[in-house]
Amino acid sequence: MSEHKSKDPLHGITLEQLLNRLVATYGWPGLAERIRINCFSSDPSIKSSLKFLRRTPWARKQVEDLYIAMIGENPWYQGKD
């Protein structure tokens, strides 16, 4: 039997993994420039950002959309580190 692969680019990726990849790619200043929320610009940390994003659906959607755009720009992306 073949293994089923999801077409969802966020399948199997936690919010923490997603945020870590965005920070590694853009840095906190670049992330704050792309998504205007205080948790990215004022004393940013993974922990505080995760807390905010888990409680704020519109902000989480913006972060997820940026991640999807980021992986779409990279033709070599395989979905794993």
Side-chain angles (χ1 to χ4, degrees), residues 15-67:
L15 183 58
E16 184 173 5
Q17 291 170 329
L18 185 148
L19 187 56
N20 280 320
R21 290 176 185 166
L22 287 171
V23 171
T25 301
Y26 300 116
W28 288 111
L31 204 50
E33 189 176 297
R34 286 167 175 80
I35 303 173
R36 306 266 176 170
I37 53 179
N38 285 337
C39 68
F40 293 161
S41 59
S42 178
D43 194 26
S45 73
I46 295 293
K47 184 177 178 180
S48 66
S49 297
L50 286 172
K51 185 175 181 180
F52 176 76
L53 293 171
R54 287 181 179 134
R55 291 183 298 153
T56 315
W58 63 264
R60 181 177 181 148
K61 173 87 169 93
Q62 287 186 6
V63 169
E64 290 172 346
D65 289 348
L66 178 61
Y67 177 78

